[in-house]
Amino acid sequence: MAERGVTLLIVDDHPVVRDGLRGMFATSPDFEVLGEAADGAEAVVLAELLDPDVVLMDLRMPGAGGVDAIAELTRRGLRCKVLVLTTYDTDSDTLPAIEAGATGYLLKDAPRDELFTAVRAAAEGRTVLSPAIASRLVSHVRTPGNEPLSAREREVLVLVAKGTSNREIATVLFISEATVKTHLTHLYGKLGVKDRAAAVAVAYDRGILG
């Protein structure tokens, strides 16, 4: 890795952001940008094709978002590490990304040197979190479940409580199975649980259901 530098795939739906990041990494011989993707689906295809060391992943993009892409990269067992680079630091963004398999999470206002250091660390498999994100995660671990569920998450939870499968939920709500899984990941994070049964139990206990 030291001889060729850390190889990167940049994923963001804004061309200006991609150009800016590519230009930034071009200033250092320690990095090589192999390609760019405009959404999560393209990111998965290119990651498999180009085999980068690190994928710089935005989260909110039209079509396939970042969390779904991270989960798919993890499922496929690709060796690349995912470093989230986004403007969003809410629990509903941070926790699903980390749970899906992201190695690190930085905000787009991070200084150049901090970004470079984070990419090197991610390539080595070390977890990188901006101070703001780290404090949020610590706070969440200490007091899970304080963030209210969205209307859609409540709809998904009600169907889960009835024993409805992900595929059936997708049909009922006219959304994709991947979107159902994303909603589940979000509500798991908000309830401080790891599976469907626990989510239903906690939801009844807190009066969210029934």
Side-chain angles (χ1 to χ4, degrees), residues 123-134:
E124 295 168 6
R126 290 186 280 130
T127 299
V128 186
L129 297 172
S130 71
I133 299 301

Side-chain angles (χ1 to χ4, degrees), residues 85-151:
L85 187 64
T86 183
T87 53
Y88 304 101
D89 68 346
T90 63
D91 287 349
S92 60
D93 290 297
T94 310
L95 296 168
I98 299 297
E99 289 171 354
T103 298
Y105 198 115
L106 281 184
L107 299 181
K108 285 181 180 175
D109 60 2
R112 173 181 177 273
D113 290 345
E114 184 180 332
L115 177 57
F116 282 8
T117 299
V119 170
R120 292 189 189 98
E124 295 168 6
R126 290 186 280 130
T127 299
V128 186
L129 297 172
S130 71
I133 299 301
S135 63
R136 274 185 159 301
L137 288 177
V138 169
S139 173
H140 181 83
V141 169
R142 288 177 180 162
T143 56
N146 287 337
E147 192 175 357
L149 301 186
S150 69

Side-chain angles (χ1 to χ4, degrees), residues 60 90-96 99 140-141 143-154 157 182-194 198-199 202-203 206 208:
R60 299 188 189 180
T90 63
D91 287 349
S92 60
D93 290 297
T94 310
L95 296 168
E99 289 171 354
H140 181 83
V141 169
T143 56
N146 287 337
E147 192 175 357
L149 301 186
S150 69
R152 179 62 91 186
E153 287 161 0
R154 284 175 180 272
L157 185 57
T182 298
H183 287 313
L184 284 172
T185 302
H186 286 185
L187 66 88
Y188 288 171
K190 291 178 179 180
L191 296 175
V193 300
K194 294 186 176 180
V202 170
R206 294 185 187 170
I208 298 172

Side-chain angles (χ1 to χ4, degrees), residues 55-95:
V55 177
L56 269 184
M57 182 78 73
D58 189 18
L59 286 185
R60 299 188 189 180
M61 297 174 285
V67 172
D68 285 345
I70 295 167
E72 181 62 18
L73 291 172
T74 301
R75 189 188 69 78
R76 295 191 184 195
L78 300 187
R79 72 173 189 89
C80 59
K81 305 299 183 183
V82 179
L83 179 60
V84 172
L85 187 64
T86 183
T87 53
Y88 304 101
D89 68 346
T90 63
D91 287 349
S92 60
D93 290 297
T94 310
L95 296 168

